[in-house]
């Protein structure tokens, strides 16, 4: 409303209503979604060996748990940035929305694309694991070696992987509540099996019943001394970052969460801490039992890098009935982990695309919501179809490229997570020093997280580009145009995004012209008549009082002015005021 040239504004500020089901998740459900999205069992199976060794040579070795701890630090820092930004703007577009408001349309669009590209890329690896372990689990349960052997077949594992994507896409389509209930069961089984695996391994080593190559755990494994940053720590951290990736699903579901300004951010931080405990425990146990040798079940062997649990499991549990049952549980946990992560990868990607479409950064069809299920329709189905297409394409080109996807996803994660850290600092730049808490949680911590990820991205990219960084089982370099495949896939995905962005910009410029999503948060200051006291020392000049975007600190009857545009705002009563007064 306007009153004498003054724009009146309510104190309640919310994201654009996109039609999603509100209040569907609480804190517990959000934490479950955040942890299950990382797929702890699958992530460890597919990545722990790559942290220990790469290309047939040791990388972090016994210091792999230290890498897990180092990777946790920037993850926690970025989780704090997510928490702080979500308080101000609980939009399911997360990085896309926040980076757009902080740095403009181009940066925001690429941040959104980083989320979408990372999720589509990783779905190929998830589908392969889910398809292969599906046959392994059925084969173990039925004691049929022929069925288990199908897991090694490129054709049949691809067929099963495609079916997994289709099933999980359907579950995401019918509602977030159905998805959450399924995750409670899947995550419970997964965590119990991982604890069982770690306990058995540590007990066997501690009682002297390990194998040749077993190592007694040491606290030195948690300290990264003696490792070169550029050639060891940075590339290993990019792989470890992949292991932690996924907790931001809790924030992507913010518009479907109870208390959306607080619950998603808290869930993100809690998820990262719990993941650190799980990863540190299991990595220590696996290294202690199997060792880091290059023979047998040693984690330094290239043949064990793709799946450390399949390599260690039979030796760890033995050939008894209990051993077969334990191995079946392990296979089932990795199967459910990969399938659960398939589901929770679709959820945030669909909501990122939904938000982008709502602000006309993508075709508006992707903003459509199902009338009954209140879930994104085009965005969900589109994510499933794109994932299937990418998975089949990479399988046809070379199955060895699927291993390259983990490192390349690490590059994408570092890109958009780091961007979120920088966006947090810029969004709150004018109020950073209003309190010690703001200076630390909105300034120092997010900035440090962004810098760490940016440096890791650069150093890791240099190593990934080396032709001999990744090798297949025959010892041949896995490259594209003579460059390491990991680097090509990661940078290629970003460049594809740039091309798509330019095409959409030419076709529909509204978003890029700032007509649909404000590229900055208005800086409001108290309109103080000349001569009245203001903040600051007597000789510091006129220092205006900064007014919060929701005008919660604007005195009754006073007026706020946008510093850049000169537009005047006056606070109106909100629903919160009405409840407070009576």
């Amino acid at each position: 409303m306007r009153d004498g040239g003054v724009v009146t504004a309510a104190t309640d500020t919310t994201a654009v209503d996109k039609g999603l089901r509100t209040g569907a998740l609480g804190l517990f459900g959000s934490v479950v979604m955040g942890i299950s999205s990382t797929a702890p069992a699958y992530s460890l199976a597919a990545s722990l060996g790559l942290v220990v060794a790469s290309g047939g040579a040791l990388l972090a070795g016994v210091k792999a748990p230290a890498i897990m701890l180092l990777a946790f630090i920037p993850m926690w820092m970025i989780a704090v940035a997510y928490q702080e930004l979500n308080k101000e703007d609980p939009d399911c577009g997360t990085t896309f929305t926040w980076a757009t408001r902080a740095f403009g349309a181009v940066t925001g669009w690429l941040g959104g694309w980083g989320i979408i590209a990372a999720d589509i890329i990783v779905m190929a690896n998830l589908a392969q694991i889910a398809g292969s372990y599906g046959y392994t689990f059925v084969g173990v349960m039925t004691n049929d070696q022929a069925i288990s052997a199908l897991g090694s077949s490129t054709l049949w594992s691809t067929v099963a992987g495609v079916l997994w994507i289709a099933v999980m896409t359907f579950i995401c389509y019918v509602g977030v509540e159905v998805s959450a209930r399924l995750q409670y069961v899947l995550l419970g089984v997964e965590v119990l099996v991982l604890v069982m695996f770690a306990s058995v391994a540590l007990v066997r080593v501690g009682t002297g019943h390990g194998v040749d190559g077993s190592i007694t755990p040491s606290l030195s494994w948690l300290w990264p001394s003696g490792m070169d940053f550029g050639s060891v720590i940075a590339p290993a951290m990019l792989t470890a970052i992949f292991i932690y990736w996924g907790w931001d699903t809790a924030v992507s579901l913010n518009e479907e969460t109870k208390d959306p300004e607080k619950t998603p951010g808290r869930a993100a931080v809690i998820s990262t801490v719990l993941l650190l405990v799980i990863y540190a425990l299991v990595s220590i146990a696996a290294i202690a039992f199997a060792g880091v040798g290059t023979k047998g079940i040693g984690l330094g062997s290239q043949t064990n890098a793709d799946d450390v649990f399949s390599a260690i499991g039979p030796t760890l549990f033995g050939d008894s009935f209990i051993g077969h049952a334990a191995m079946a549980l392990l296979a089932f946990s990795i199967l459910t982990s990969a399938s659960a992560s398939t589901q929770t990868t679709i959820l945030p990607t669909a909501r990122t695309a939904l938000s982008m479409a709502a602000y006309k950064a993508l075709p508006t069809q992707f903003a459509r919501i199902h009338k009954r299920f209140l879930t994104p329709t085009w965005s969900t189905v589109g994510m499933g179809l794109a994932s299937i297409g990418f998975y089949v394409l990479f399988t046809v080109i070379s199955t060895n490229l699927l291993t390259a996807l983990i490192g390349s996803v690490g590059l994408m994660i570092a890109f958009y997570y780091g961007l979120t850290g920088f966006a947090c600092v810029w969004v709150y730049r004018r109020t950073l020093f209003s309190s010690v808490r703001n200076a630390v949680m909105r300034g120092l911590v997010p900035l440090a997280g962004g810098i760490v990820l940016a440096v890791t991205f650069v150093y890791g990219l240099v190593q990934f580009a080396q032709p001999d960084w990744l090798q297949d089982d025959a010892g041949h370099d896995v490259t594209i145009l003579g460059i390491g495949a990991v680097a090509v896939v990661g940078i290629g995905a970003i460049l594809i995004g740039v091309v798509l962005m330019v095409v959409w910009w030419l076709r529909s410029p509204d978003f890029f012209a700032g007509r649909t999503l404000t590229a900055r948060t208005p800086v409001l200051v108290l309109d103080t008549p000349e001569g009245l006291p203001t903040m600051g020392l007597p000789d510091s000049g006129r220092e205006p009082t900064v007014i919060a975007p929701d005008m919660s600190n604007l005195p009754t009857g006073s007026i706020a002015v946008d510093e850049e545009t000169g537009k005047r705002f006056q606070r109106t009563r909100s629903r919160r005021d009405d409840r407070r007064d009576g």
Side-chain angles (χ1 to χ4, degrees), residues 477-536:
D477 296 340
V478 181
T479 63
I480 298 176
L481 301 176
I483 304 173
V486 178
V488 174
V489 174
I491 297 301
I494 296 176
L495 294 178
I496 290 173
V498 172
V499 173
L500 293 175
M501 180 187 68
V502 171
V503 171
W504 184 246
W505 192 341
L506 294 174
R507 182 176 177 182
S508 180
D510 284 354
F511 167 74
F512 300 96
R515 301 188 189 105
T516 60
L517 180 58
T518 304
R520 64 170 189 88
T521 300
V523 180
L524 304 179
V525 297
L526 181 64
D527 183 27
T528 306
E530 293 293 337
L532 292 183
T534 57
M535 292 193 307

Side-chain angles (χ1 to χ4, degrees), residues 361-384:
L362 286 179
T364 54
Q365 290 90 335
F366 288 98
R368 292 181 181 176
I369 297 292
H370 196 283
K371 293 181 179 179
R372 176 185 174 189
F373 302 132
L374 301 181
T375 56
T377 53
W378 275 57
S379 295
T380 302
V381 174
M383 172 58 185

Side-chain angles (χ1 to χ4, degrees), residues 446-467:
L447 179 62
I451 292 174
V452 169
L453 289 175
V455 172
T456 302
F457 178 95
V458 173
Y459 276 91
L461 179 62
V462 171
Q463 295 301 316
F464 287 160
Q466 300 298 319

Side-chain angles (χ1 to χ4, degrees), residues 539-555:
D539 61 349
S540 64
R542 188 176 188 275
E543 294 294 333
T545 302
V546 177
I547 301 301
D550 62 0
M551 299 190 189
S552 57
N553 64 332
L554 181 64

Side-chain angles (χ1 to χ4, degrees), residues 203-230:
V203 167
R204 287 195 58 175
V205 172
T207 57
H209 293 86
V211 297
D212 290 339
S214 292
I215 312 171
T216 302
S218 169
L219 287 176
S220 65
W221 293 4
L222 296 173
W223 187 251
S225 59
M227 293 189 291
D228 179 73
F229 180 83

Side-chain angles (χ1 to χ4, degrees), residues 161-177:
V162 169
L163 289 175
W164 270 116
I165 295 176
V167 170
M168 292 304 161
T169 300
F170 173 76
I171 292 175
C172 293
Y173 187 88
V174 299
V176 68
E177 290 171 308

Side-chain angles (χ1 to χ4, degrees), residues 418-441:
L419 179 60
T420 307
F422 295 132
C424 183
V425 177
W426 193 250
V427 165
Y428 290 113
R429 67 191 183 279
R430 294 181 180 272
T431 58
L432 282 181
F433 301 106
S434 60
S435 69
V436 174
R437 190 259 178 207
N438 284 348
V440 174
M441 302 301 283

